[in-house]
Amino acid sequence: MNSKWIYIALCTLSIGNHSFAQKKATSEQTIEKLLQRMTLQEKVQMIHANSSFATAGIPRLGIPPLIMSDGPHGVRVEHGNDWIVDKNVNDSGTYLPTGNTLAATWNKSLGYSFGTVLGKEAKYRGKDVILGPGINIIRTPLNGRNFEYLSEDPLLISKMVTGYIKGVQDQGISACVKHFAANNQEIQRTSINVQMSERALREIYLPGFKTAVTEAGVNTIMGAYNKFRGQWCSHNNYLLNQILKKEWGFKGIVISDWGAVHNTTEALMNGTDIEMGTDIGSPAFPYPQFYMADTVVKLVQNGQIAESIVNDKVRRILRIMNKTHMLGGKRIPGAYATKTHQQVAQKIAEEGIVLLKNERNLLPLTNTIQSIAVIGENAVRKNAMGGGSSQVKATYEITPLVGLQQQVPHNTTITYSKGYSIVRNATADTSLINEAVAAAKKADVAIIVGGWVHGYDYTKWSDNAYDAEDTDKPDMNMPFGQDALIKAVIQANPNTIVVLMGGGAIDMRQWIHQVPAIVQAWYPGMEGGTALARILLGKVNPSGKLPMSFPKQLSDCGAHKLGEYPSKNGEVRYNEDIFVGYRYYDTYGVTPQFAFGHGLSYTQFNISGLSLKKIGKQVMASVTIRNTGTMAGAEVIQLYVNEVKPVVKRPTKELKAFEKVFLAPGQQKQVQLLLPAEAFEYYSEPHKKFVHQPGQYWILAGNSSDKITAKAAIQL
Ligand code: BGC
């Protein structure tokens, strides 16, 4: 146990036995009384960082520090109070698959399982707030943090985020949904000003956050680094005061991103409740000099800022502390690095890995396969510590190579060759390629594990690249000469399977037509190698679906074609407007490499017989799904809506409901999906609200945005 944990334990004990807070832990009245007992200095102490991940707390009143930790897919390594990684602590825990793997399951109940694991592990580690989920819209394939995020589609985000947040918070730990809002690129994230229409904001960029607040009841929210319409997101009056707190009635805490506050008055007046950051490397800016620290005391004492402004922030913090039993000393212990948690990680990976292509039914590999050539440094690379603030120290991490070695039948031989080197600026290496080709020639099948990486030395944030915080990918091209490797191996062995790791799309045009089977494995967590091997070997039937479109090339992407990226004179205009992801590809007739919602199975499904019933402004859709193949599996029924004669330009189709259905071979089910009134609305700028336009609508049912197999019209 490190010193921080001992402090927490002591603090909890003192709260449990003696404190004022313990006696009356539950009501607003209690909070008011606590507030009355605080000095101004003590109040201010609660609204800014006092160490890398915590506020100060007020021990004399039994108020503990609010202790936070990244991140979205596991509890981060211990950084101590000072950002120096603690060496002698047991902080090796469950490394869950990343956000986009979770989203690719399209299984709402897995969001809850994911959150439950995180909440339990955070509690065990003495954390109060887990800094996730990250739910910014995937606007461009280049964003270095797409791997942490969920999707390009607001409905998919909303449905997955609800379970995640409830899972965390049912453990008595606060989730922190981030980064609010319009933080869709890492490059220039601390300087750019994002401009977009009100319609794009309301229809695309806000719904996930709104659901997190109004349906999932998230306790805390993190402001983003960038500016929105000229004002920093972490103290943006429109986003925080008007929308979040007034319109959505958010009663929880707004936490700034680390170092995202730039102005005391704005932070005080525009809705920031806690300023986080670090003074490391900047002795000139220690915690008392934070914008929301000593200056606030002076401003209140001088009468320039009303104390009620500070009180509101403290009240919010106390309310959440009370809700999460921080004041009552009643926390039940969490659980850490358990077998059950590891099984959840595996299940999410098994449902999230996507089978993109499978010609000649090359997959699953049958028992007749006696030799496999595994190629590519990604097959042996561990990813848990990569990518920036989401880094996790995993108890263990099963790589693709180890997963295969553990899962193949005893008589199957596996060889490994590196194929390419993950080092800065590496290009195709002829000797590595020759070695891989020789291995592929001798084997029944070749499995190339490639794609993106977190960085060159994934243990060092400063060396991160590609899928990483604080950086974007330079382009969509395969790094390290992988195109040349794949082209050479496919010549040597036509039974070549390409497995792609990474946070999203990569340019496959040089080899896609020659390679018969492609699997998208994302960053699938500590049991990712097991899950991948079980899919390749047919022990698990793949059921993942792309939560974002994979364009063929970067210039096909709406944000790059119509919008701006990375910026012009410090500003990024989202001129593509609401046409993000498949909304752009469909409406503008651009064929992606793999469409939003795409994902194959080893069995076949038939979705048919769509019928619709009006219930007031809602529509109940009923659809029949049948497993027509020979293997049990799961399919995602996706319902899209199209307005026949819209008064404003609308996308050709928009996802409005989905359901993942598990079926035995030959089994058939009738599935009902509710389309609420909002499923038909668009945001009208003149009316400044969502509008339900009477008229005819098509309801489209299928198993991918580009595979609609049943449709029906309805007059509303
Ligand atoms: C990231 C946040 C993270 C915070 C604390 C920032 O750089 O943007 O997502 O939670 O650091 O590590």
Side-chain angles (χ1 to χ4, degrees):
M1 216 186 238
N2 72 356
S3 56
K4 186 198 289 177
W5 294 355
I6 292 169
Y7 171 71
I8 297 160
L10 287 176
C11 207
T12 312
L13 267 180
S14 86
I15 295 161
N17 293 330
H18 313 292
S19 80
F20 171 83
Q22 183 222 13
K23 292 179 198 139
K24 301 175 187 174
T26 47
S27 65
E28 288 279 320
Q29 237 182 348
T30 310
I31 291 168
E32 289 311 314
K33 284 190 181 154
L34 263 180
L35 202 58
Q36 279 163 22
R37 295 187 63 196
M38 285 181 194
T39 64
L40 176 61
Q41 281 77 1
E42 284 172 334
K43 290 177 190 172
V44 171
Q45 198 167 304
M46 292 186 67
I47 65 169
H48 66 85
N50 184 48
S51 69
S52 50
F53 283 97
T55 55
I58 309 172
R60 84 174 175 94
L61 296 177
I63 298 173
L66 187 69
I67 301 177
M68 313 168 202
S69 173
D70 289 294
H73 45 261
V75 187
R76 194 176 178 183
V77 282
E78 284 301 326
H79 277 83
N81 291 337
D82 46 11
W83 291 96
I84 298 168
V85 173
D86 288 351
K87 293 254 162 56
N88 301 317
V89 289
N90 175 19
D91 55 354
S92 302
T94 302
Y95 165 42
L96 289 155
T98 54
N100 51 19
T101 321
L102 173 65
T105 67
W106 292 58
N107 182 340
K108 298 165 210 169
S109 71
L110 287 181
Y112 188 82
S113 314
F114 189 109
T116 305
V117 170
L118 261 182
K120 286 195 167 156
E121 300 220 343
K123 193 150 61 171
Y124 182 92
R125 290 263 301 273
K127 312 298 180 191
D128 306 309
V129 180
I130 193 86
L131 301 171
I135 62 162
N136 292 96
I137 286 282
I138 296 179
R139 173 180 180 247
T140 159
L142 299 188
N143 184 0
R145 267 183 116 167
N146 282 347
F147 73 98
E148 282 184 65
Y149 298 151
L150 303 186
S151 177
E152 67 188 24
D153 182 78
L155 182 91
L156 181 58
I157 293 174
S158 300
K159 296 294 176 195
M160 298 307 294
V161 87
T162 305
Y164 180 127
I165 291 169
K166 288 190 171 163
V168 171
Q169 297 197 166
D170 281 356
Q171 309 312 312
I173 298 299
S174 294
C176 180
V177 68
K178 64 191 189 183
H179 309 85
F180 190 63
N183 177 190
N184 309 99
Q185 64 193 60
E186 286 299 288
I187 194 165
Q188 301 170 9
R189 67 177 178 172
T190 54
S191 62
I192 47 163
N193 179 33
V194 173
Q195 297 281 9
M196 70 172 88
S197 72
E198 190 64 15
R199 185 176 174 205
L201 180 71
R202 299 285 179 161
E203 288 190 20
I204 306 292
Y205 293 91
L206 288 188
F209 289 103
K210 185 175 182 194
T211 308
V213 171
T214 58
E215 284 177 40
V218 74
N219 287 345
T220 79
I221 191 164
M222 187 189 293
Y225 276 124
N226 50 289
K227 286 184 190 165
F228 177 72
R229 295 188 187 153
Q231 197 165 48
W232 296 107
C233 289
S234 278
H235 38 85
N236 188 295
N237 180 49
Y238 186 55
L239 292 175
L240 301 179
N241 278 343
Q242 301 305 319
I243 296 181
L244 177 69
K245 292 188 175 174
K246 228 190 228 155
E247 272 185 45
W248 300 348
F250 179 65
K251 296 274 180 290
I253 311 166
V254 174
I255 302 170
S256 77
D257 202 338
W258 269 234
V261 171
H262 300 267
N263 180 297
T264 302
T265 316
E266 280 195 7
L268 287 174
M269 302 308 290
N270 292 354
T272 323
D273 299 314
I274 297 180
E275 178 190 6
M276 291 305 292
T278 176
D279 61 350
I280 204 88
S282 162
F285 195 36
Y287 296 113
Q289 284 176 32
F290 268 34
Y291 291 97
M292 290 175 74
D294 289 358
T295 314
V296 179
V297 176
K298 279 189 213 119
L299 287 175
V300 175
Q301 282 168 344
N302 295 343
Q304 285 165 278
I305 292 283
E307 192 164 343
S308 58
I309 301 286
V310 179
N311 288 348
D312 175 64
K313 300 179 193 308
V314 176
R315 215 174 264 131
R316 286 169 178 273
I317 298 165
L318 289 174
R319 195 179 288 137
I320 296 304
M321 286 185 163
N322 196 33
K323 187 178 166 195
T324 55
H325 307 298
M326 288 176 66
L327 299 181
K330 281 192 235 132
R331 282 210 167 155
I332 46 159
Y336 198 59
T338 64
K339 184 85 199 145
T340 315
H341 292 183
Q342 291 150 12
Q343 284 164 346
V344 170
Q346 184 177 328
K347 173 91 179 127
I348 292 164
E350 287 179 355
E351 284 201 33
I353 291 172
V354 182
L355 179 60
L356 293 174
K357 182 175 179 186
N358 193 19
E359 273 175 6
R360 297 186 268 118
N361 291 331
L362 180 58
L363 290 172
L365 301 177
T366 62
N367 284 339
T368 57
I369 302 286
Q370 285 180 351
S371 54
I372 302 175
V374 176
I375 298 162
E377 195 175 340
N378 266 342
V380 294
R381 191 174 170 83
K382 294 185 178 171
N383 292 301
M385 282 295 285
S389 62
S390 64
Q391 56 181 208
V392 178
K393 212 192 271 173
T395 318
Y396 61 85
E397 184 175 345
I398 306 288
T399 61
L401 180 63
V402 171
L404 278 163
Q405 285 165 339
Q406 290 177 348
Q407 297 292 328
V408 289
H410 293 307
N411 57 352
T412 307
T413 57
I414 295 183
T415 60
Y416 170 70
S417 37
K418 195 171 165 191
Y420 56 90
S421 290
I422 301 174
V423 284
R424 199 179 287 273
N425 301 327
T427 50
D429 180 322
T430 316
S431 76
L432 290 180
I433 292 179
N434 290 344
E435 200 185 299
V437 164
K441 267 190 190 146
K442 282 192 229 139
D444 292 334
V445 293
I447 301 175
I448 303 176
V449 186
W452 297 115
V453 296
H454 276 314
Y456 309 106
D457 176 351
Y458 52 81
T459 61
K460 286 194 210 143
W461 189 355
S462 56
D463 210 15
N464 257 329
Y466 301 111
D467 281 324
E469 184 172 339
D470 213 14
T471 181
D472 280 356
K473 296 166 193 125
D475 48 44
M476 261 179 61
N477 301 334
M478 289 198 107
F480 321 124
Q482 293 179 69
D483 284 319
L485 170 75
I486 297 172
K487 285 189 283 186
V489 171
I490 189 73
Q491 291 301 319
N493 189 332
N495 294 332
T496 292
I497 297 145
V498 172
V499 174
L500 295 166
M501 312 293 291
I506 205 159
D507 190 329
M508 308 180 202
R509 286 172 302 156
Q510 292 195 39
W511 44 264
I512 183 141
H513 298 297
Q514 284 87 56
V515 172
I518 307 171
V519 175
Q520 178 64 37
W522 317 108
Y523 295 109
M526 67 195 305
E527 284 287 0
T530 312
L532 176 67
R534 282 164 58 81
I535 285 174
L536 296 175
L537 298 167
K539 298 180 191 181
V540 167
N541 194 349
S543 62
K545 300 277 174 181
L546 290 183
M548 78 286 276
S549 318
F550 278 11
K552 288 183 180 156
Q553 53 189 329
L554 191 62
S555 57
D556 285 350
C557 170
H560 294 266
K561 192 110 191 165
L562 305 179
E564 289 176 357
Y565 174 90
S567 68
K568 259 191 207 150
N569 305 322
E571 212 155 82
V572 194
R573 293 179 181 273
Y574 291 10
N575 296 328
E576 73 281 11
D577 205 47
I578 57 165
F579 296 97
V580 176
Y582 70 92
R583 284 169 169 79
Y584 172 76
Y585 299 114
D586 275 2
T587 313
Y588 286 78
V590 179
T591 309
Q593 194 71 71
F594 293 106
F596 172 79
H598 169 79
L600 304 174
S601 165
Y602 296 147
T603 188
Q604 294 82 44
F605 296 94
N606 191 299
I607 296 173
S608 62
L610 175 66
S611 67
L612 306 172
K613 198 169 142 216
K614 241 194 293 185
I615 314 169
K617 281 186 165 177
Q618 311 190 105
V619 173
M620 182 61 85
S622 178
V623 70
T624 305
I625 178 161
R626 187 180 175 80
N627 181 347
T628 59
T630 53
M631 191 174 177
E635 182 58 292
V636 180
I637 302 175
Q638 304 171 29
L639 276 197
Y640 295 85
V641 171
N642 160 263
E643 187 179 351
V644 177
K645 284 192 185 141
V647 291
V648 294
K649 190 167 176 185
R650 295 190 74 172
T652 305
K653 64 170 94 73
E654 294 185 87
L655 182 75
K656 294 298 173 183
F658 65 89
E659 200 60 57
K660 190 164 195 174
V661 187
F662 293 80
L663 294 170
Q667 195 187 352
Q668 177 170 309
K669 267 190 195 164
Q670 183 97 6
V671 180
Q672 301 218 308
L673 298 105
L674 183 71
L675 293 163
E678 304 86 67
F680 304 94
E681 292 175 353
Y682 71 94
Y683 187 83
S684 160
E685 299 209 339
H687 294 96
K688 294 192 169 36
K689 61 174 187 182
F690 278 91
V691 169
H692 197 281
Q693 188 66 35
Q696 204 186 27
Y697 291 82
W698 281 110
I699 312 299
L700 314 163
N703 65 357
S704 165
S705 64
D706 68 345
K707 205 154 162 246
I708 301 302
T709 51
K711 59 190 239 178
I714 193 150
Q715 189 73 31
L716 291 175

